[in-house]
């Protein structure tokens, strides 16, 4: 696994998209729409993460099955097998987990406490820095390496 030298805590977002398992999926959908989020972390009374609910969950697990958004609880359709990452891990760990579990976002947890959230969007925002790191590593490994940027025609 490539170590990019970029820590999760340096690129993660703050966690503001939280919902309780007893809230309705309509509440979840409204919160996502209002804030333009594609997922929420489901937390228990101690604010510990216990699951995640995404737009995809709303569509595939609830709406296509005729569930009532007003009465169906988040706990019914949330993904309970939560994949998390630690704030001090290298982002290569995030990329590996996202690929392995086919997910686009995950909570950042330290000692069972939710400290942030990281998504594909966060990774895309740092992509130029990752490219710089890789170029520098290539230069160290192969001193004769020359990197050229080519302009697109048209």
């Amino acid at each position: 696994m490539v170590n990019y030298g970029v820590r999760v805590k340096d690129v993660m977002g703050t966690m503001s998209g939280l919902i309780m398992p007893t809230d309705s999926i309509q509440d979840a959908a409204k919160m996502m729409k209002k804030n333009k989020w594609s997922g929420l972390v489901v937390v228990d009374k101690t604010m510990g993460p216990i699951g995640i609910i995404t737009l995809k969950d709303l569509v595939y697990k609830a709406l296509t099955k005729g569930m009532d958004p007003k009465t169906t609880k988040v706990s019914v359709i949330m993904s309970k097998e939560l994949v998390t990452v630690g704030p001090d891990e290298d982002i290569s760990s995030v990329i590996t987990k996202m690929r392995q579990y086919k997910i686009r976002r995950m909570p950042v947890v330290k000692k069972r406490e939710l400290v942030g959230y990281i998504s594909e969007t966060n990774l895309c925002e740092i992509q130029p820095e990752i490219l710089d790191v890789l170029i520098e590593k290539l230069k160290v490994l192969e001193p004769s390496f020359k990197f050229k940027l080519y302009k697109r025609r048209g």
Side-chain angles (χ1 to χ4, degrees):
M1 177 177 359
V2 175
N3 185 332
Y4 295 109
V6 178
R7 299 278 163 237
V8 169
K9 64 184 173 188
D10 298 326
V11 297
M12 70 184 191
T14 57
M15 194 61 248
S16 50
L18 306 176
I19 195 157
M20 301 293 287
T22 53
D23 290 334
S24 73
I25 61 172
Q26 182 176 47
D27 293 336
K30 285 179 178 179
M31 190 183 303
M32 287 185 211
K33 180 183 179 199
K34 178 183 177 189
N35 296 290
K36 298 180 181 174
W37 293 329
S38 56
L40 303 169
V41 176
V42 184
V43 294
D44 61 17
K45 292 177 184 172
T46 66
M47 299 306 283
I50 58 170
I52 195 164
I53 183 169
T54 66
L55 290 173
K56 189 174 180 180
D57 292 329
L58 290 169
V59 173
Y60 290 101
K61 294 180 182 178
L63 300 178
T64 59
K65 294 183 179 178
M67 293 181 179
D68 183 354
K70 292 178 184 176
T71 60
T72 303
K73 302 297 179 202
V74 166
S75 61
V76 173
I77 67 164
M78 71 182 194
S79 298
K80 295 175 180 90
E81 304 223 356
L82 197 57
V83 179
T84 64
V85 67
D88 295 315
E89 290 183 54
D90 191 85
I91 60 159
S92 59
S93 177
V94 174
I95 295 166
T96 299
K97 288 178 181 182
M98 284 183 172
R99 250 195 250 139
Q100 180 182 353
Y101 295 102
K102 296 177 176 56
I103 56 177
R104 297 179 178 178
R105 62 198 59 81
M106 69 179 77
V108 181
V109 177
K110 184 175 184 177
K111 295 180 184 175
R112 295 187 170 192
E113 181 183 336
L114 186 63
V115 295
Y117 191 73
I118 192 161
S119 68
E120 288 177 329
T121 303
N122 300 111
L123 296 177
C124 289
E125 289 170 352
I126 61 161
Q127 185 271 335
E129 286 92 352
I130 293 173
L131 185 56
D132 290 343
V133 168
L134 291 175
I135 290 169
E136 289 306 312
K137 286 187 179 200
L138 280 172
K139 286 179 183 176
V140 170
L141 295 172
E142 183 60 50
S144 63
F145 174 75
K146 302 282 188 242
F147 183 77
K148 296 179 183 177
L149 287 176
Y150 294 94
K151 290 186 178 181
R152 280 183 134 174
R153 291 186 208 162

